[in-house]
Structures are given as structure tokens and as C-alpha cells.
Amino acid sequence: MNKQRTVLPEKIIMKDSGCIKQFEMWQQEEWCIEGDGEGTYLNFYIPTVFDVDKAFGLHVNTDENDDYINVYLNWYPYADRVELVVCYMAPDADEAYSVEMDDEQIAELKAVLPEICKAAYGATPCELWSKENEHLSEG
């Protein structure tokens, strides 16, 4: 069988906002702080328990290929901004893409973030950020 790699568009567009309500975080998946200064952000793994093909218009994890995606949600505490990053994983190459969302999708993602974060980690992103800052200032 000849496996073809799915060709991704230059920008990934969120095609189905309904997936946002299905987002969750898992306690066993660690979150981390990346970047520095005003570009600092909290990075969370979003398990793909939703239909990624429908959400992003991709063709992954099918009988024709062994490709899959990882989804990450970044929250920038200084700007209170969110972004999604899709990492397309294939046997021959890995690529990362920012997800383009409209204002309504961004607002919905910002509304869902505190509740899924609190369910997984017992704290909202703001609380995690505050605790981390306290810990850094003590050390």
C-alpha cells in the first residue's frame, strides 16, 4: 500500500467551533510555562477526544495513513490571550501550525479554559500563574 502524506494548508482554520465544548485537560498531562517577559505563556496539552478532521478540516489517523495531531492551548497571562497550536505528526515529518479562529471562537475558548483547567489541575490558569510567580519570587 502506498501511503501518501496529507498536505496541510499554510494556515489551519477552526472549521467547527463545536469542538471547543469538547475540550478537556488530563491531570496526568503536565502543563508548563514557556517564553519570557511579555511573551510568557502557559502551555496545556488538549487531548484529541473530539473529531480533529471535522474541527480543523484535516485528514488524519485513517486507514490510508498513520498520521495524527497533538493540540496545545497557550494562555498568555500578560495579555490574557489564548491560542491553539496543532502539531501534525507523520512518520516522515512533524509540523506545527497556529489555528486561526474568529472572535467568537476565541471568546468561547477563553470561557472554557478556566473550567477545564480547574477540573484537571484544581486551579484556573490565573491561579496556576499566581502560584508559580509566588514560588519563583520565594526562590
Side-chain angles (χ1 to χ4, degrees), residues 12 123 139:
I12 300 293

Side-chain angles (χ1 to χ4, degrees), residues 20-133:
I20 295 172
K21 291 192 185 309
Q22 297 172 12
F23 282 6
E24 57 186 56
M25 293 178 185
W26 293 341
Q27 184 177 13
Q28 71 270 20
E29 296 291 339
E30 293 185 22
W31 62 276
C32 64
I33 296 176
E34 297 189 11
D36 56 15
E38 297 295 313
T40 301
Y41 60 94
L42 278 65
N43 173 266
F44 301 96
Y45 173 73
I46 302 294
T48 53
V49 296
F50 55 94
D51 186 338
V52 296
D53 294 333
K54 186 176 176 184
F56 304 114
L58 303 175
H59 184 67
V60 295
N61 200 15
T62 67
D63 292 336
E64 295 106 36
N65 65 49
D66 294 325
D67 303 355
Y68 65 96
I69 69 167
N70 288 323
V71 178
Y72 297 92
L73 191 161
N74 296 328
W75 176 66
Y76 293 80
Y78 293 112
D80 190 27
R81 182 173 63 88
V82 293
E83 70 181 359
L84 287 177
V85 176
V86 169
C87 295
Y88 191 97
M89 313 301 281
D92 59 342
D94 301 335
E95 301 288 336
Y97 299 90
S98 291
V99 177
E100 189 174 305
M101 296 178 287
D102 62 30
D103 291 342
E104 187 175 300
Q105 292 166 331
I106 291 168
E108 187 171 355
L109 185 58
K110 284 177 76 171
V112 165
L113 176 58
E115 63 190 61
I116 63 174
C117 187
K118 191 160 187 118
Y121 304 113
T124 67
C126 289
E127 292 166 343
L128 292 174
W129 176 243
S130 292
K131 287 177 192 174
E132 189 64 26
N133 277 335

